[in-house]
Amino acid sequence: MASNQPLVPAAKEALNKFKMEAASEVGVNLKQGYNGDLTSRQAGSIGGQMVKRMIESYENSMK
């Protein structure tokens, strides 16, 4: 059963903080709450930055 909910509900705030940091790194103004005015490119760049940082973190933990 696929779900878009975090497995650990307490992690929601950490994920939001991570998303805000990634948005600022790529230069996208992300606000709390509704962000439906973002373009697909902007939203994709935020997600891409998050994935990039997660991969880097995993690779660093393997060393």
Side-chain angles (χ1 to χ4, degrees):
M1 179 167 108
S3 175
N4 198 21
Q5 299 298 316
L7 291 176
V8 181
K12 187 174 184 175
E13 184 60 36
L15 288 171
N16 282 334
K17 182 180 176 206
F18 182 50
K19 180 171 52 175
M20 296 298 259
E21 290 172 4
S24 69
E25 287 177 10
V26 295
V28 175
N29 273 339
L30 199 61
K31 55 189 177 292
Q32 294 288 38
Y34 181 73
N35 284 288
D37 56 337
L38 293 180
T39 65
S40 296
R41 177 175 283 229
Q42 290 172 318
S45 67
I46 294 168
Q49 183 67 17
M50 291 173 71
V51 170
K52 180 180 173 183
R53 287 183 53 196
M54 285 186 269
I55 291 171
E56 287 173 354
S57 174
Y58 180 75
E59 287 175 342
N60 289 335
S61 72
M62 292 178 61
K63 293 180 181 179

mmCIF file of all heavy atoms in Angstrom, residues 10-60:
data_model
loop_
_atom_site.group_PDB
_atom_site.id
_atom_site.type_symbol
_atom_site.label_atom_id
_atom_site.label_comp_id
_atom_site.label_asym_id
_atom_site.label_seq_id
_atom_site.Cartn_x
_atom_site.Cartn_y
_atom_site.Cartn_z
ATOM 1 N N ALA A 10 6.548 12.309 13.610
ATOM 2 C CA ALA A 10 7.371 13.381 14.169
ATOM 3 C C ALA A 10 8.398 13.885 13.163
ATOM 4 O O ALA A 10 8.965 14.964 13.331
ATOM 5 C CB ALA A 10 8.070 12.888 15.430
ATOM 6 N N ALA A 11 8.640 13.144 12.106
ATOM 7 C CA ALA A 11 9.619 13.540 11.100
ATOM 8 C C ALA A 11 9.068 14.608 10.156
ATOM 9 O O ALA A 11 9.826 15.183 9.379
ATOM 10 C CB ALA A 11 10.067 12.322 10.303
ATOM 11 N N LYS A 12 7.783 14.894 10.229
ATOM 12 C CA LYS A 12 7.161 15.853 9.313
ATOM 13 C C LYS A 12 7.834 17.219 9.397
ATOM 14 O O LYS A 12 8.121 17.836 8.366
ATOM 15 C CB LYS A 12 5.664 15.967 9.604
ATOM 16 C CG LYS A 12 4.935 16.815 8.599
ATOM 17 C CD LYS A 12 3.439 16.779 8.826
ATOM 18 C CE LYS A 12 2.743 17.564 7.737
ATOM 19 N NZ LYS A 12 1.301 17.464 7.841
ATOM 20 N N GLU A 13 8.097 17.699 10.589
ATOM 21 C CA GLU A 13 8.727 19.007 10.758
ATOM 22 C C GLU A 13 10.151 19.003 10.201
ATOM 23 O O GLU A 13 10.572 19.963 9.553
ATOM 24 C CB GLU A 13 8.730 19.418 12.229
ATOM 25 C CG GLU A 13 9.293 20.805 12.472
ATOM 26 C CD GLU A 13 8.523 21.903 11.744
ATOM 27 O OE1 GLU A 13 7.303 21.809 11.623
ATOM 28 O OE2 GLU A 13 9.174 22.873 11.287
ATOM 29 N N ALA A 14 10.891 17.919 10.420
ATOM 30 C CA ALA A 14 12.252 17.822 9.892
ATOM 31 C C ALA A 14 12.227 17.809 8.362
ATOM 32 O O ALA A 14 13.077 18.434 7.712
ATOM 33 C CB ALA A 14 12.939 16.579 10.425
ATOM 34 N N LEU A 15 11.257 17.120 7.767
ATOM 35 C CA LEU A 15 11.136 17.094 6.307
ATOM 36 C C LEU A 15 10.793 18.475 5.760
ATOM 37 O O LEU A 15 11.326 18.895 4.724
ATOM 38 C CB LEU A 15 10.077 16.082 5.882
ATOM 39 C CG LEU A 15 10.449 14.616 6.032
ATOM 40 C CD1 LEU A 15 9.233 13.723 5.777
ATOM 41 C CD2 LEU A 15 11.573 14.254 5.091
ATOM 42 N N ASN A 16 9.927 19.199 6.450
ATOM 43 C CA ASN A 16 9.586 20.555 6.024
ATOM 44 C C ASN A 16 10.800 21.476 6.094
ATOM 45 O O ASN A 16 11.017 22.293 5.202
ATOM 46 C CB ASN A 16 8.439 21.122 6.859
ATOM 47 C CG ASN A 16 7.102 20.578 6.419
ATOM 48 O OD1 ASN A 16 6.926 20.184 5.274
ATOM 49 N ND2 ASN A 16 6.160 20.544 7.338
ATOM 50 N N LYS A 17 11.585 21.353 7.148
ATOM 51 C CA LYS A 17 12.796 22.161 7.292
ATOM 52 C C LYS A 17 13.776 21.830 6.174
ATOM 53 O O LYS A 17 14.372 22.727 5.566
ATOM 54 C CB LYS A 17 13.442 21.908 8.657
ATOM 55 C CG LYS A 17 14.673 22.734 8.900
ATOM 56 C CD LYS A 17 15.279 22.459 10.262
ATOM 57 C CE LYS A 17 16.557 23.252 10.403
ATOM 58 N NZ LYS A 17 17.482 22.668 11.327
ATOM 59 N N PHE A 18 13.934 20.542 5.888
ATOM 60 C CA PHE A 18 14.818 20.082 4.824
ATOM 61 C C PHE A 18 14.360 20.653 3.479
ATOM 62 O O PHE A 18 15.174 21.127 2.674
ATOM 63 C CB PHE A 18 14.821 18.551 4.820
ATOM 64 C CG PHE A 18 15.723 17.919 3.806
ATOM 65 C CD1 PHE A 18 17.042 18.308 3.672
ATOM 66 C CD2 PHE A 18 15.259 16.907 2.996
ATOM 67 C CE1 PHE A 18 17.876 17.715 2.742
ATOM 68 C CE2 PHE A 18 16.080 16.298 2.073
ATOM 69 C CZ PHE A 18 17.393 16.704 1.940
ATOM 70 N N LYS A 19 13.060 20.650 3.232
ATOM 71 C CA LYS A 19 12.504 21.178 1.986
ATOM 72 C C LYS A 19 12.770 22.681 1.873
ATOM 73 O O LYS A 19 13.140 23.170 0.806
ATOM 74 C CB LYS A 19 11.010 20.886 1.930
ATOM 75 C CG LYS A 19 10.339 21.394 0.668
ATOM 76 C CD LYS A 19 8.919 20.914 0.504
ATOM 77 C CE LYS A 19 8.056 21.153 1.691
ATOM 78 N NZ LYS A 19 6.653 20.802 1.510
ATOM 79 N N MET A 20 12.604 23.414 2.965
ATOM 80 C CA MET A 20 12.845 24.853 2.952
ATOM 81 C C MET A 20 14.317 25.158 2.676
ATOM 82 O O MET A 20 14.638 26.088 1.929
ATOM 83 C CB MET A 20 12.413 25.485 4.280
ATOM 84 C CG MET A 20 10.932 25.376 4.560
ATOM 85 S SD MET A 20 9.937 26.213 3.354
ATOM 86 C CE MET A 20 9.565 27.690 4.227
ATOM 87 N N GLU A 21 15.224 24.372 3.271
ATOM 88 C CA GLU A 21 16.661 24.560 3.029
ATOM 89 C C GLU A 21 16.997 24.292 1.571
ATOM 90 O O GLU A 21 17.752 25.055 0.946
ATOM 91 C CB GLU A 21 17.479 23.630 3.925
ATOM 92 C CG GLU A 21 17.456 24.000 5.385
ATOM 93 C CD GLU A 21 18.112 22.953 6.271
ATOM 94 O OE1 GLU A 21 18.659 21.961 5.739
ATOM 95 O OE2 GLU A 21 18.079 23.125 7.492
ATOM 96 N N ALA A 22 16.447 23.227 1.009
ATOM 97 C CA ALA A 22 16.702 22.888 -0.392
ATOM 98 C C ALA A 22 16.170 23.990 -1.304
ATOM 99 O O ALA A 22 16.810 24.355 -2.290
ATOM 100 C CB ALA A 22 16.072 21.544 -0.740
ATOM 101 N N ALA A 23 15.009 24.538 -0.976
ATOM 102 C CA ALA A 23 14.422 25.610 -1.786
ATOM 103 C C ALA A 23 15.309 26.848 -1.771
ATOM 104 O O ALA A 23 15.531 27.474 -2.813
ATOM 105 C CB ALA A 23 13.025 25.952 -1.282
ATOM 106 N N SER A 24 15.829 27.187 -0.619
ATOM 107 C CA SER A 24 16.685 28.378 -0.551
ATOM 108 C C SER A 24 17.996 28.144 -1.294
ATOM 109 O O SER A 24 18.544 29.071 -1.885
ATOM 110 C CB SER A 24 16.943 28.782 0.902
ATOM 111 O OG SER A 24 17.763 27.849 1.550
ATOM 112 N N GLU A 25 18.496 26.904 -1.313
ATOM 113 C CA GLU A 25 19.731 26.596 -2.034
ATOM 114 C C GLU A 25 19.570 26.763 -3.542
ATOM 115 O O GLU A 25 20.517 27.144 -4.218
ATOM 116 C CB GLU A 25 20.187 25.166 -1.734
ATOM 117 C CG GLU A 25 20.751 24.995 -0.354
ATOM 118 C CD GLU A 25 21.124 23.559 -0.043
ATOM 119 O OE1 GLU A 25 21.128 22.715 -0.962
ATOM 120 O OE2 GLU A 25 21.420 23.280 1.136
ATOM 121 N N VAL A 26 18.392 26.475 -4.059
ATOM 122 C CA VAL A 26 18.170 26.612 -5.503
ATOM 123 C C VAL A 26 17.519 27.944 -5.868
ATOM 124 O O VAL A 26 17.218 28.195 -7.030
ATOM 125 C CB VAL A 26 17.351 25.430 -6.080
ATOM 126 C CG1 VAL A 26 18.118 24.146 -5.972
ATOM 127 C CG2 VAL A 26 15.996 25.312 -5.434
ATOM 128 N N GLY A 27 17.279 28.795 -4.873
ATOM 129 C CA GLY A 27 16.771 30.136 -5.123
ATOM 130 C C GLY A 27 15.279 30.231 -5.363
ATOM 131 O O GLY A 27 14.816 31.130 -6.067
ATOM 132 N N VAL A 28 14.506 29.326 -4.761
ATOM 133 C CA VAL A 28 13.054 29.355 -4.904
ATOM 134 C C VAL A 28 12.453 29.857 -3.601
ATOM 135 O O VAL A 28 12.794 29.362 -2.527
ATOM 136 C CB VAL A 28 12.501 27.946 -5.244
ATOM 137 C CG1 VAL A 28 10.984 27.956 -5.268
ATOM 138 C CG2 VAL A 28 13.060 27.452 -6.563
ATOM 139 N N ASN A 29 11.580 30.849 -3.698
ATOM 140 C CA ASN A 29 10.899 31.365 -2.509
ATOM 141 C C ASN A 29 9.760 30.427 -2.150
ATOM 142 O O ASN A 29 8.731 30.412 -2.814
ATOM 143 C CB ASN A 29 10.350 32.774 -2.752
ATOM 144 C CG ASN A 29 11.364 33.836 -2.473
ATOM 145 O OD1 ASN A 29 12.326 33.615 -1.753
ATOM 146 N ND2 ASN A 29 11.161 34.996 -3.049
ATOM 147 N N LEU A 30 9.956 29.662 -1.110
ATOM 148 C CA LEU A 30 8.943 28.725 -0.638
ATOM 149 C C LEU A 30 8.367 29.294 0.644
ATOM 150 O O LEU A 30 9.098 29.757 1.512
ATOM 151 C CB LEU A 30 9.612 27.368 -0.372
ATOM 152 C CG LEU A 30 8.733 26.139 -0.305
ATOM 153 C CD1 LEU A 30 8.023 25.930 -1.632
ATOM 154 C CD2 LEU A 30 9.567 24.918 0.002
ATOM 155 N N LYS A 31 7.056 29.294 0.744
ATOM 156 C CA LYS A 31 6.416 29.829 1.948
ATOM 157 C C LYS A 31 5.689 28.712 2.682
ATOM 158 O O LYS A 31 5.422 27.659 2.110
ATOM 159 C CB LYS A 31 5.462 30.967 1.585
ATOM 160 C CG LYS A 31 4.410 30.601 0.560
ATOM 161 C CD LYS A 31 3.666 31.834 0.101
ATOM 162 C CE LYS A 31 2.654 31.533 -0.960
ATOM 163 N NZ LYS A 31 3.156 31.121 -2.239
ATOM 164 N N GLN A 32 5.401 28.939 3.934
ATOM 165 C CA GLN A 32 4.650 27.958 4.715
ATOM 166 C C GLN A 32 3.248 27.858 4.138
ATOM 167 O O GLN A 32 2.663 28.844 3.717
ATOM 168 C CB GLN A 32 4.565 28.380 6.184
ATOM 169 C CG GLN A 32 5.880 28.385 6.897
ATOM 170 C CD GLN A 32 6.410 26.991 7.176
ATOM 171 O OE1 GLN A 32 6.288 26.077 6.376
ATOM 172 N NE2 GLN A 32 7.027 26.830 8.319
ATOM 173 N N GLY A 33 2.712 26.669 4.094
ATOM 174 C CA GLY A 33 1.359 26.480 3.591
ATOM 175 C C GLY A 33 1.328 26.203 2.102
ATOM 176 O O GLY A 33 2.187 25.531 1.560
ATOM 177 N N TYR A 34 0.360 26.783 1.430
ATOM 178 C CA TYR A 34 0.096 26.524 0.014
ATOM 179 C C TYR A 34 1.168 27.129 -0.883
ATOM 180 O O TYR A 34 1.495 28.306 -0.769
ATOM 181 C CB TYR A 34 -1.272 27.093 -0.352
ATOM 182 C CG TYR A 34 -1.660 26.867 -1.788
ATOM 183 C CD1 TYR A 34 -2.019 25.608 -2.229
ATOM 184 C CD2 TYR A 34 -1.652 27.916 -2.694
ATOM 185 C CE1 TYR A 34 -2.386 25.394 -3.555
ATOM 186 C CE2 TYR A 34 -2.015 27.714 -4.012
ATOM 187 C CZ TYR A 34 -2.378 26.451 -4.435
ATOM 188 O OH TYR A 34 -2.730 26.236 -5.738
ATOM 189 N N ASN A 35 1.716 26.323 -1.778
ATOM 190 C CA ASN A 35 2.707 26.791 -2.736
ATOM 191 C C ASN A 35 2.322 26.395 -4.158
ATOM 192 O O ASN A 35 3.169 26.101 -4.991
ATOM 193 C CB ASN A 35 4.087 26.224 -2.395
ATOM 194 C CG ASN A 35 4.708 26.923 -1.219
ATOM 195 O OD1 ASN A 35 5.128 28.058 -1.323
ATOM 196 N ND2 ASN A 35 4.756 26.243 -0.090
ATOM 197 N N GLY A 36 1.022 26.417 -4.445
ATOM 198 C CA GLY A 36 0.529 26.015 -5.755
ATOM 199 C C GLY A 36 0.894 26.964 -6.870
ATOM 200 O O GLY A 36 0.693 26.649 -8.038
ATOM 201 N N ASP A 37 1.453 28.110 -6.532
ATOM 202 C CA ASP A 37 1.841 29.062 -7.563
ATOM 203 C C ASP A 37 3.234 28.781 -8.127
ATOM 204 O O ASP A 37 3.677 29.461 -9.036
ATOM 205 C CB ASP A 37 1.778 30.489 -7.013
ATOM 206 C CG ASP A 37 2.625 30.685 -5.771
ATOM 207 O OD1 ASP A 37 2.915 29.696 -5.079
ATOM 208 O OD2 ASP A 37 2.987 31.840 -5.482
ATOM 209 N N LEU A 38 3.925 27.760 -7.609
ATOM 210 C CA LEU A 38 5.239 27.399 -8.129
ATOM 211 C C LEU A 38 5.092 26.729 -9.489
ATOM 212 O O LEU A 38 4.132 26.005 -9.741
ATOM 213 C CB LEU A 38 5.950 26.416 -7.193
ATOM 214 C CG LEU A 38 6.368 26.913 -5.829
ATOM 215 C CD1 LEU A 38 7.047 25.796 -5.058
ATOM 216 C CD2 LEU A 38 7.271 28.109 -5.927
ATOM 217 N N THR A 39 6.077 26.966 -10.340
ATOM 218 C CA THR A 39 6.082 26.263 -11.616
ATOM 219 C C THR A 39 6.575 24.831 -11.392
ATOM 220 O O THR A 39 7.175 24.523 -10.361
ATOM 221 C CB THR A 39 7.010 26.954 -12.625
ATOM 222 O OG1 THR A 39 8.360 26.870 -12.144
ATOM 223 C CG2 THR A 39 6.625 28.410 -12.836
ATOM 224 N N SER A 40 6.325 23.979 -12.369
ATOM 225 C CA SER A 40 6.810 22.596 -12.276
ATOM 226 C C SER A 40 8.324 22.571 -12.194
ATOM 227 O O SER A 40 8.904 21.752 -11.485
ATOM 228 C CB SER A 40 6.356 21.790 -13.497
ATOM 229 O OG SER A 40 4.962 21.681 -13.526
ATOM 230 N N ARG A 41 8.970 23.468 -12.914
ATOM 231 C CA ARG A 41 10.432 23.538 -12.891
ATOM 232 C C ARG A 41 10.939 23.877 -11.490
ATOM 233 O O ARG A 41 11.897 23.284 -10.999
ATOM 234 C CB ARG A 41 10.926 24.569 -13.887
ATOM 235 C CG ARG A 41 12.434 24.743 -13.865
ATOM 236 C CD ARG A 41 12.858 25.686 -14.947
ATOM 237 N NE ARG A 41 12.809 24.942 -16.194
ATOM 238 C CZ ARG A 41 13.787 24.922 -17.074
ATOM 239 N NH1 ARG A 41 14.859 25.639 -16.869
ATOM 240 N NH2 ARG A 41 13.683 24.207 -18.160
ATOM 241 N N GLN A 42 10.300 24.847 -10.841
ATOM 242 C CA GLN A 42 10.714 25.240 -9.497
ATOM 243 C C GLN A 42 10.507 24.089 -8.515
ATOM 244 O O GLN A 42 11.406 23.780 -7.722
ATOM 245 C CB GLN A 42 9.936 26.466 -9.033
ATOM 246 C CG GLN A 42 10.294 27.734 -9.756
ATOM 247 C CD GLN A 42 9.362 28.872 -9.409
ATOM 248 O OE1 GLN A 42 8.140 28.692 -9.318
ATOM 249 N NE2 GLN A 42 9.927 30.051 -9.219
ATOM 250 N N ALA A 43 9.341 23.470 -8.556
ATOM 251 C CA ALA A 43 9.057 22.359 -7.647
ATOM 252 C C ALA A 43 10.016 21.204 -7.902
ATOM 253 O O ALA A 43 10.513 20.581 -6.961
ATOM 254 C CB ALA A 43 7.606 21.905 -7.808
ATOM 255 N N GLY A 44 10.294 20.932 -9.162
ATOM 256 C CA GLY A 44 11.219 19.854 -9.507
ATOM 257 C C GLY A 44 12.631 20.136 -9.049
ATOM 258 O O GLY A 44 13.348 19.220 -8.631
ATOM 259 N N SER A 45 13.043 21.388 -9.118
ATOM 260 C CA SER A 45 14.401 21.718 -8.681
ATOM 261 C C SER A 45 14.544 21.538 -7.171
ATOM 262 O O SER A 45 15.600 21.132 -6.691
ATOM 263 C CB SER A 45 14.784 23.144 -9.103
ATOM 264 O OG SER A 45 14.016 24.110 -8.436
ATOM 265 N N ILE A 46 13.474 21.806 -6.428
ATOM 266 C CA ILE A 46 13.508 21.597 -4.975
ATOM 267 C C ILE A 46 13.638 20.101 -4.680
ATOM 268 O O ILE A 46 14.495 19.674 -3.908
ATOM 269 C CB ILE A 46 12.256 22.172 -4.289
ATOM 270 C CG1 ILE A 46 12.233 23.689 -4.429
ATOM 271 C CG2 ILE A 46 12.208 21.776 -2.816
ATOM 272 C CD1 ILE A 46 10.916 24.320 -4.036
ATOM 273 N N GLY A 47 12.800 19.289 -5.318
ATOM 274 C CA GLY A 47 12.865 17.841 -5.119
ATOM 275 C C GLY A 47 14.196 17.264 -5.553
ATOM 276 O O GLY A 47 14.761 16.401 -4.883
ATOM 277 N N GLY A 48 14.714 17.752 -6.665
ATOM 278 C CA GLY A 48 16.013 17.285 -7.147
ATOM 279 C C GLY A 48 17.130 17.609 -6.181
ATOM 280 O O GLY A 48 18.029 16.797 -5.951
ATOM 281 N N GLN A 49 17.087 18.801 -5.608
ATOM 282 C CA GLN A 49 18.103 19.201 -4.629
ATOM 283 C C GLN A 49 18.012 18.332 -3.379
ATOM 284 O O GLN A 49 19.037 17.937 -2.811
ATOM 285 C CB GLN A 49 17.948 20.680 -4.264
ATOM 286 C CG GLN A 49 18.981 21.207 -3.311
ATOM 287 C CD GLN A 49 20.377 21.244 -3.910
ATOM 288 O OE1 GLN A 49 20.563 21.167 -5.119
ATOM 289 N NE2 GLN A 49 21.370 21.356 -3.073
ATOM 290 N N MET A 50 16.790 18.007 -2.965
ATOM 291 C CA MET A 50 16.614 17.151 -1.795
ATOM 292 C C MET A 50 17.211 15.762 -2.052
ATOM 293 O O MET A 50 17.932 15.228 -1.208
ATOM 294 C CB MET A 50 15.133 17.041 -1.433
ATOM 295 C CG MET A 50 14.536 18.324 -0.906
ATOM 296 S SD MET A 50 12.752 18.239 -0.664
ATOM 297 C CE MET A 50 12.656 17.156 0.747
ATOM 298 N N VAL A 51 16.927 15.195 -3.227
ATOM 299 C CA VAL A 51 17.459 13.875 -3.571
ATOM 300 C C VAL A 51 18.975 13.920 -3.646
ATOM 301 O O VAL A 51 19.667 13.025 -3.135
ATOM 302 C CB VAL A 51 16.851 13.371 -4.896
ATOM 303 C CG1 VAL A 51 17.567 12.129 -5.390
ATOM 304 C CG2 VAL A 51 15.371 13.101 -4.728
ATOM 305 N N LYS A 52 19.513 14.965 -4.251
ATOM 306 C CA LYS A 52 20.968 15.110 -4.360
ATOM 307 C C LYS A 52 21.621 15.113 -2.980
ATOM 308 O O LYS A 52 22.620 14.423 -2.748
ATOM 309 C CB LYS A 52 21.288 16.412 -5.096
ATOM 310 C CG LYS A 52 22.752 16.678 -5.271
ATOM 311 C CD LYS A 52 22.956 17.993 -6.007
ATOM 312 C CE LYS A 52 24.430 18.359 -6.048
ATOM 313 N NZ LYS A 52 24.650 19.650 -6.695
ATOM 314 N N ARG A 53 21.046 15.864 -2.046
ATOM 315 C CA ARG A 53 21.607 15.923 -0.691
ATOM 316 C C ARG A 53 21.463 14.599 0.042
ATOM 317 O O ARG A 53 22.344 14.204 0.802
ATOM 318 C CB ARG A 53 20.952 17.051 0.103
ATOM 319 C CG ARG A 53 21.456 18.409 -0.380
ATOM 320 C CD ARG A 53 20.915 19.559 0.404
ATOM 321 N NE ARG A 53 21.117 19.425 1.826
ATOM 322 C CZ ARG A 53 20.475 20.155 2.740
ATOM 323 N NH1 ARG A 53 19.610 21.051 2.367
ATOM 324 N NH2 ARG A 53 20.703 19.978 4.017
ATOM 325 N N MET A 54 20.346 13.877 -0.186
ATOM 326 C CA MET A 54 20.166 12.569 0.456
ATOM 327 C C MET A 54 21.193 11.570 -0.061
ATOM 328 O O MET A 54 21.756 10.786 0.719
ATOM 329 C CB MET A 54 18.754 12.051 0.221
ATOM 330 C CG MET A 54 17.707 12.751 1.049
ATOM 331 S SD MET A 54 16.069 12.013 0.885
ATOM 332 C CE MET A 54 15.410 12.956 -0.461
ATOM 333 N N ILE A 55 21.456 11.595 -1.363
ATOM 334 C CA ILE A 55 22.454 10.690 -1.939
ATOM 335 C C ILE A 55 23.840 11.021 -1.406
ATOM 336 O O ILE A 55 24.599 10.123 -1.033
ATOM 337 C CB ILE A 55 22.409 10.742 -3.478
ATOM 338 C CG1 ILE A 55 21.108 10.117 -3.976
ATOM 339 C CG2 ILE A 55 23.630 10.044 -4.089
ATOM 340 C CD1 ILE A 55 20.847 10.312 -5.456
ATOM 341 N N GLU A 56 24.189 12.305 -1.356
ATOM 342 C CA GLU A 56 25.482 12.713 -0.814
ATOM 343 C C GLU A 56 25.637 12.252 0.633
ATOM 344 O O GLU A 56 26.694 11.761 1.028
ATOM 345 C CB GLU A 56 25.646 14.230 -0.886
ATOM 346 C CG GLU A 56 25.891 14.759 -2.270
ATOM 347 C CD GLU A 56 25.885 16.278 -2.328
ATOM 348 O OE1 GLU A 56 25.580 16.949 -1.311
ATOM 349 O OE2 GLU A 56 26.174 16.803 -3.415
ATOM 350 N N SER A 57 24.581 12.404 1.421
ATOM 351 C CA SER A 57 24.626 11.992 2.818
ATOM 352 C C SER A 57 24.853 10.488 2.940
ATOM 353 O O SER A 57 25.656 10.033 3.747
ATOM 354 C CB SER A 57 23.326 12.389 3.512
ATOM 355 O OG SER A 57 23.280 11.892 4.825
ATOM 356 N N TYR A 58 24.153 9.720 2.114
ATOM 357 C CA TYR A 58 24.313 8.261 2.144
ATOM 358 C C TYR A 58 25.718 7.863 1.724
ATOM 359 O O TYR A 58 26.344 6.999 2.353
ATOM 360 C CB TYR A 58 23.272 7.599 1.242
ATOM 361 C CG TYR A 58 23.379 6.098 1.240
ATOM 362 C CD1 TYR A 58 22.939 5.353 2.326
ATOM 363 C CD2 TYR A 58 23.942 5.430 0.170
ATOM 364 C CE1 TYR A 58 23.070 3.982 2.338
ATOM 365 C CE2 TYR A 58 24.068 4.055 0.162
ATOM 366 C CZ TYR A 58 23.628 3.336 1.241
ATOM 367 O OH TYR A 58 23.738 1.976 1.265
ATOM 368 N N GLU A 59 26.226 8.482 0.652
ATOM 369 C CA GLU A 59 27.574 8.163 0.188
ATOM 370 C C GLU A 59 28.617 8.491 1.248
ATOM 371 O O GLU A 59 29.573 7.735 1.447
ATOM 372 C CB GLU A 59 27.883 8.894 -1.104
ATOM 373 C CG GLU A 59 27.154 8.330 -2.302
ATOM 374 C CD GLU A 59 27.376 9.131 -3.566
ATOM 375 O OE1 GLU A 59 27.804 10.309 -3.508
ATOM 376 O OE2 GLU A 59 27.110 8.564 -4.639
ATOM 377 N N ASN A 60 28.441 9.610 1.943
ATOM 378 C CA ASN A 60 29.381 9.987 2.999
ATOM 379 C C ASN A 60 29.320 9.023 4.178
ATOM 380 O O ASN A 60 30.322 8.778 4.839
ATOM 381 C CB ASN A 60 29.124 11.415 3.481
ATOM 382 C CG ASN A 60 29.542 12.438 2.435
ATOM 383 O OD1 ASN A 60 30.396 12.173 1.600
ATOM 384 N ND2 ASN A 60 28.930 13.595 2.489
#
